[in-house]
Amino acid sequence: MAEVTHQPPALQWQHLLQLPAGQRLGLMLTLATLIAVLVAAYLWSQAPDYRVLYANLSDGDGGAAVSVLQQMNIPYKFADGGALLVPANQVHELRLRLAAQGLPKGGLVGFEVMENQKFGTSQFAEQINYQRALEGELARSIQSLSVVQSARVHLALAKPSAFLREQAKPSASVLVNLYSGRSLDPAQVSAIVHLVSSSVPDLQAQAVTLVDQSGALLSSDTRSAAGTLDANQLKFRQALEQRYSSRIEDILGAITGAGNVRAQVTAELDFSENEGAEEIYKPNQDPANAVIRSHQISESNTGNSGANGGGVPGALSNQPPAAAAAPVNAPNAVTTSSAAAASPNSNSRKDATINYEVNKTVRHTREASGRVQRLAVAVVVNQKKQTDNTGRVKYTALAAAELAQMTGLVKEVIAYDKDRGDTVSVVNSAFSDPSQEKFTEPPFWKQPQTIDLTVTIMKNLLIGTVLLLVVFKVLRPLLKSYSAMAAAAPQLARAEAEESPPLLNYEHHVEHAKQIARSDPKIVANVVKNWVASDGK
C-alpha cells in the first residue's frame, strides 16, 4: 500500500514556483485581478457622497473656487450643467470658507469698477460704468434675500434736460431666479420694488417691473394692491379674530369645561382712511350779547361856530341825538346821524362804524382705519359627558335654554350689533375623542431609517457576494488546479528519471562496443561468429 504524505504549505508554494513560466504568469494575473476587485470594492464602499456646492457658476467664480479647493486638498468634481460637487459632509463648511474669501462673486460688477477709472475716460464711458456699478450693487442686495438665488437689474436712465417738459422719468426691470420650491410673497415683492426705486433718483415704484425665472410678472401685485390687504392689515385682522375667539372660548369654557368649546370668528374690517375739514358760519347772536370787534365814530361840524343855536324851539330840538345802531344780520354796520341847524349858516355830520365778531367753527375729522364692519361667529360646544352606575360613558345634548344662554354670552363678548349685520351661530355636537382615534404609523419597511439601513446592508451584501463568488468560483478552482499541477510535478520528474536510465544504458553499451571493435577487432569477430553459430544450431 502506497504511503500518503502531506506536504506543508511552504512546500506547496515551492511547487507553485516550479510551474512553467506561462502558468505562473496566469496565476499572477488572476491574483492581481482579485486584488484590484477587492480594492475597487473597498473604495466604492468608502467613496464620499457628493453634493452640490454651487450651481450656475460663472467661469471666473468657478476657476477661483476650484483653485481654493485645490489649495485645501478637497476632492471635487463637476456634474452635468456645470454644478461644482464636493463631499456632502463638507458642503456647509466649504461654503462658509469660500464666502469668507468673497466667493462666489456671482459675475456681478459693483462700485469697484469705479476704482479702475483711467485718465481720459469719456463722460459717456463714465456714465455707463456708473450704471453698471449701480445695477450690480442692486443685484447683490436682492440676492441677499434667502429665497433669491440670483438676480439681474436693468436700469433705463434718461439724460438730464434743462427743460421740464423734456425730462423723462427713469425705469427699472428686475429678473430674479428663485430657489426650487420657493416663492416671493406680496410683502417681499413690494420690498424689492421699493428697494430699487429708493436707490435710483426720481424712480417711482410704479416704474419698476419685477419678473421671476418662469416669466411671471410679480410687480403687478404691488400696483393693484390698493384695494387689497397688505401684510400688516392681514396680521391685524388675524389678531383681532384670534382675540375674539379666545375671549369666547374662555367665557364658555368656564361653563362647559376646558377643551369643550371651539370658536371661530370672521371679521370684516374697513381699512379706508377718511379725512375731512369743514368751516361753519352761524348767524349773529343777540345784539345785546354780541361781541364788538371794532367801533369807529367820525363827527364833523361846519358853519358859524359863534352863532346861537337855531332851530324850532321846543323840547324836540333840545334833545341829544339817538345812539347809533347797526343791523343785526350785517357783519359791518354803519350808522350815520346828522342834524342841521335851523340856521342856514351851520352844518353838522356824525358817522359811527361798529364791527361785530362773526361765529366760526373749523372742524378737522379723520376716521381711523380698521373699523369693524361685520362679525361672523361660529361656536361649537361639546355635548355633556355623563357616566352611569355601570361606568358607561354617554353624551347628552344641551337644552335649548342653555344654548340660548351661551348665545347671549357670545353676543355680549363681541358687542353684537344687529344693524351692522353681525351673525352668531352656536351648535351643540359631540366632539371626537382623540384617545379612541388610532394613529396608523407607516409600515416598518416604509420608514426612512429602515430604508437607509436596508440600502447600507444591501450594499455590503453585494460587496461580500462578489468577493465570495470571485474567491470560490474563480480563485479557489484555479488555485486547486495549479496546486494539483504543482504537486504532480515531482512525480512526473521521477517518472521521467525512471524512464531515462534504460535508454542511457543502451547508448552507453553501444558506445562501449564501438570502442572495443576499434581497439580489438578479433574480439568482435569472435562474438559475431558465436551469434551465427548459435543461430545455425
Side-chain angles (χ1 to χ4, degrees), residues 246-261 406:
S246 300
R247 293 174 62 183
I248 293 172
E249 292 178 358
D250 290 341
I251 193 171
L252 296 184
I255 301 175
T256 61
N260 291 322
V261 178
M406 293 181 180

Side-chain angles (χ1 to χ4, degrees), residues 104-123:
K105 297 180 180 179
L108 299 175
V109 178
F111 280 114
E112 63 271 7
V113 72
M114 307 298 293
E115 299 176 357
N116 300 323
Q117 291 289 339
K118 296 181 180 179
F119 181 76
T121 304
S122 63
Q123 185 178 2

Side-chain angles (χ1 to χ4, degrees), residues 256-430:
T256 61
N260 291 322
V261 178
R262 296 291 184 272
Q264 292 292 332
V265 178
T266 302
E268 295 181 4
L269 305 180
D270 182 13
F271 289 99
S272 61
E273 296 182 359
N274 300 322
E275 184 175 357
E278 58 181 354
E279 188 172 350
I280 301 175
Y281 295 91
K282 293 183 178 179
N284 287 335
Q285 301 176 357
D286 186 7
N289 298 324
V291 179
I292 298 176
R293 178 187 297 176
S294 63
H295 187 187
Q296 182 179 0
I297 299 176
S298 176
E299 185 176 356
S300 62
N301 237 338
T302 59
N304 188 5
S305 60
N308 296 328
V312 179
L316 293 176
S317 61
N318 293 328
Q319 291 180 355
V328 175
N329 296 328
N332 296 326
V334 179
T335 303
T336 305
S337 176
S338 63
S343 177
N345 296 325
S346 64
N347 187 9
S348 175
R349 182 182 179 87
K350 185 177 182 180
D351 297 330
T353 302
I354 301 176
N355 295 324
Y356 293 93
E357 291 289 349
V358 180
N359 291 333
K360 179 181 179 181
T361 303
V362 179
R363 181 181 296 120
H364 294 272
T365 304
R366 182 175 182 180
E367 298 179 357
S369 62
R371 292 175 287 110
V372 178
Q373 288 184 327
R374 180 176 176 272
L375 292 177
V377 183
V379 182
V380 180
V381 183
N382 193 14
Q383 293 182 351
K384 289 184 178 180
K385 182 180 180 181
Q386 297 178 350
T387 306
D388 55 12
N389 298 331
T390 61
R392 185 178 180 181
V393 178
K394 64 178 181 178
Y395 295 89
T396 58
L398 298 176
E402 295 176 331
L403 289 178
Q405 181 184 11
M406 293 181 180
T407 303
L409 290 175
V410 173
K411 290 183 178 180
E412 292 296 330
V413 168
I414 67 171
Y416 177 81
D417 188 355
K418 182 178 180 181
D419 297 334
R420 195 172 56 186
D422 295 348
T423 58
V424 176
S425 177
V426 180
V427 178
N428 180 222
S429 178

